[in-house]
Amino acid sequence: MTTTDIPVISHWIDGAESASTSGRTAPVFNPATGSLSAHVALADQAEIDAAIASAKRGYQIWSGYSVAKRQTVLFAFRELLNARKQELAEIITAEHGKVVSDAMGEILRGQEVVEFATGFPHLIKGAFTENASTGIDVYSLKQPLGVVGVISPFNFPVMVPMWFFPIAIAAGNAVVLKPSEKDPSAALWMARLWKEAGLPDGVFTVLQGDKLAVDGLLESPDVKSISFVGSTPIAQYIYETASKNGKRVQALGGAKNHMLVLPDADLDLVADQAVNAGYGAAGERCMAISVVLAVEPVADELIEKISERISRLRIGNGAGDSAGEPDLGPLITGVHRDKVSGYVDIAEQDGATIVVDGRGCLVDGHEDGFWFGPTLIDAIPTTSRAYQEEIFGPVLSVVRVESFQDGLDLINSGAFGNGTAIFTNDGGAARRFQSEVEVGMIGINVPIPVPVAYHSFGGWKASLFGDAKAYGVHGFDFFTREKAITSRWLDPATHGGINLGFPQND
């Protein structure tokens, strides 16, 4: 493509694509080829204001819809999504790089939240106490907030927004979604689907942009809440800035997830799951396992089993080729690949042993892609930055510990508290682990314990800022506010017309 042939990915405002006039763009790459596939618009203040104003208008319409009508739109969106999910998976792969089957898994987990949200009438009910005092009734109402902002990361361009917007919309709010500028097309695809499902214009808005767009949402008095997933430093900034501006905030940050392996565990199961959880999606998951805590004497055998499995992994274009679909694709950008490589350099400089080295990985026919191979590190010092910080790539470290207690203490001493797992056949050890570990999501012989949609997702410590987790009952509590009414009435006669038909919702 020539420069003039490269498309510009636009906003979605007032129920239609809205070309940017800001004059600012950012590049969008195909990570498998390294080629420039598009530019994405970066909003200026006028476009930020227009997006929020459109959402305000949409909210005025949508919040007046009956529960029955809102539910109909939710069901329609779910059916359209289910019918066309393959198309969406291919869009994710083209811009993020993850393999198509992994992209499909992302969509299906997001669809679970859509399905949960279709049952919203039960979850936005108020409560009623008759005759709380003589002749006085007390009851409560749950009402939407208004315009809400969602700021999503590059690693899950569909699933993470779906943690928030189905629930927000079901509850009667209007959503302004700011997707990552690295993979922005999926957001526009979902906007078109909402329109086809019958959602009024303005209720789902896509604002493309960078920090200017983020700050516009954080500072606007018309945006009542912010939902965010990303790195811990940015989550903290989001939380502090939005809170200062009087908003509700759920800001999910980074992670350094550990898997504690006890000597009685099935090491073949452990090796399989460590590879799945450490290298799936090229490690670009906030719930990826980064560290295996091996209670001796199992470390040597476990490292051997993991290394053997790594040798069978195929790296390539996530879209697949004549040999089929690879096991993992590229990283999102060349800059991020170099950052991941730098952490392996740090580990090596700090005295760790690089058992399997993914630096310098290339894929035939796609030499310009952003490749980084599965990497396995042994004996990494816990003082190393490569141990303490989130790498966000296909890098798995093994730390040898002498006991269950040593492993538990090491997990609890970390700054993060997102996810963790224990592998054991000892029920007593597992029960103690789930009770004492200082982490928000725990797997027992499950490596990636992402809760189902009717529970809630969120960590502890530096992995979550704000009081509300994502989706589940927490989600409906976050996206609604309660009114309590105390009332006393006389008892007049009531009259109504005659209608012998069966009562219907409308």
Side-chain angles (χ1 to χ4, degrees):
M1 290 186 293
T2 66
T3 302
T4 55
D5 292 330
I6 297 173
V8 177
I9 299 167
S10 58
H11 313 295
W12 183 271
I13 300 174
D14 278 333
E17 289 191 50
S18 176
S20 175
T21 58
S22 71
R24 300 192 309 126
T25 62
V28 178
F29 295 97
N30 181 325
T33 64
S35 60
L36 180 69
S37 59
H39 294 286
V40 60
L42 300 178
D44 59 17
Q45 190 59 52
E47 291 165 348
I48 296 166
D49 293 342
I52 295 171
S54 171
K56 283 184 66 177
R57 293 190 296 271
Y59 167 69
Q60 293 299 323
I61 297 169
W62 181 241
S63 60
Y65 270 41
S66 68
V67 167
K69 288 183 177 179
R70 294 210 304 262
Q71 196 173 33
T72 298
V73 174
L74 266 289
F75 274 115
F77 179 81
R78 188 268 176 200
E79 292 305 306
L80 290 168
L81 175 65
N82 192 52
R84 301 180 193 172
K85 55 184 179 288
Q86 181 66 32
E87 179 185 341
L88 182 56
E90 292 170 2
I91 291 171
I92 295 170
T93 295
E95 291 186 348
H96 176 275
K98 66 178 67 176
V99 299
V100 172
S101 62
D102 192 28
M104 183 65 73
E106 167 184 348
I107 295 166
L108 293 176
R109 290 308 298 265
Q111 185 173 302
E112 288 180 12
V113 181
V114 178
E115 291 165 353
F116 171 70
T118 61
F120 75 92
H122 171 68
L123 294 164
I124 62 168
K125 290 188 303 183
F128 191 97
T129 301
E130 184 181 17
N131 219 32
S133 185
T134 304
I136 294 177
D137 303 325
V138 179
Y139 54 99
S140 61
L141 307 175
K142 290 185 176 181
Q143 296 184 328
L145 303 180
V147 176
V148 301
V150 176
I151 302 168
S152 69
F154 73 81
N155 61 321
F156 287 105
V158 169
M159 184 183 73
V160 167
M162 282 191 187
W163 285 355
F164 305 110
F165 71 67
I167 294 173
I169 289 173
N173 300 283
V175 173
V176 178
L177 170 62
K178 207 300 284 184
S180 169
E181 56 270 40
K182 296 180 178 66
D183 44 9
S185 294
L188 281 182
W189 189 94
M190 291 186 289
R192 297 186 194 100
L193 209 68
W194 273 119
K195 186 175 181 68
E196 188 173 347
L199 193 70
D201 294 347
V203 182
F204 187 81
T205 297
V206 177
L207 178 66
Q208 310 285 8
D210 52 9
K211 187 176 184 297
L212 183 63
V214 170
D215 287 343
L217 294 175
L218 298 181
E219 295 169 2
S220 170
D222 293 321
V223 177
K224 304 304 180 183
S225 74
I226 295 290
S227 302
F228 169 83
V229 176
S231 69
T232 286
I234 304 302
Q236 188 166 8
Y237 170 78
I238 295 283
Y239 175 70
E240 292 173 352
T241 307
S243 297
K244 182 178 66 177
N245 284 282
K247 305 183 193 311
R248 290 188 178 184
V249 190
Q250 45 184 180
L252 285 66
K256 192 74 177 184
N257 304 320
H258 292 64
M259 173 193 289
L260 179 60
V261 181
L262 302 192
D264 70 321
D266 180 333
L267 293 189
D268 285 312
L269 171 66
V270 171
D272 287 343
Q273 299 306 319
V275 169
N276 292 340
Y279 304 125
E284 292 176 327
R285 295 171 173 161
C286 68
M287 289 294 283
I289 291 294
S290 300
V291 179
V292 173
L293 298 175
V295 178
E296 292 292 33
V298 305
D300 287 339
E301 183 179 358
L302 184 56
I303 287 170
E304 181 179 349
K305 290 178 180 292
I306 293 174
S307 299
E308 188 275 330
R309 286 159 171 78
I310 291 174
S311 70
R312 302 199 303 257
L313 296 179
R314 192 168 78 89
I315 305 164
N317 188 331
D321 53 27
S322 59
E325 190 177 83
D327 295 296
L328 64 156
L331 295 180
I332 185 72
T333 63
V335 171
H336 185 57
R337 174 200 57 203
D338 295 343
K339 180 181 178 182
V340 172
S341 183
Y343 274 112
V344 180
D345 295 342
I346 290 169
E348 192 169 39
Q349 293 161 10
D350 289 342
T353 300
I354 312 301
V355 180
V356 180
D357 195 341
R359 292 172 291 186
C361 173
L362 291 176
V363 172
D364 290 343
H366 296 298
E367 288 79 6
D368 293 330
F370 309 136
W371 307 107
F372 196 90
T375 298
L376 181 62
I377 302 175
D378 184 23
I380 186 169
T382 57
T383 55
S384 174
R385 283 180 53 216
Y387 168 79
Q388 295 175 347
E389 299 177 8
E390 185 175 34
I391 296 176
F392 222 62
V395 179
L396 185 65
S397 299
V398 176
V399 174
R400 300 162 186 254
V401 294
E402 294 301 318
S403 68
F404 168 93
Q405 189 63 52
D406 289 343
L408 179 64
D409 291 344
L410 203 52
I411 296 171
N412 287 345
S413 67
F416 301 104
N418 206 43
T420 190
I422 184 171
F423 277 75
T424 181
N425 289 311
D426 185 336
R431 190 171 189 277
R432 182 182 165 200
F433 183 79
Q434 72 180 28
S435 175
E436 297 182 12
V437 73
E438 297 173 6
V439 173
M441 293 171 285
I442 301 157
I444 298 174
N445 298 318
V446 174
I448 305 178
V450 176
V452 292
Y454 41 87
H455 287 271
S456 296
F457 181 103
W460 286 15
K461 299 191 284 190
S463 296
L464 176 67
F465 297 86
D467 296 324
K469 294 185 176 185
Y471 60 80
V473 175
H474 278 237
F476 278 100
D477 288 343
F478 182 79
F479 286 116
T480 58
R481 51 188 170 183
E482 188 177 76
K483 288 178 178 176
I485 298 99
T486 303
S487 69
R488 177 168 55 195
W489 294 100
L490 300 175
D491 187 16
T494 58
H495 301 280
I498 295 173
N499 184 345
L500 302 185
F502 195 83
Q504 296 182 16
N505 289 325
D506 186 15

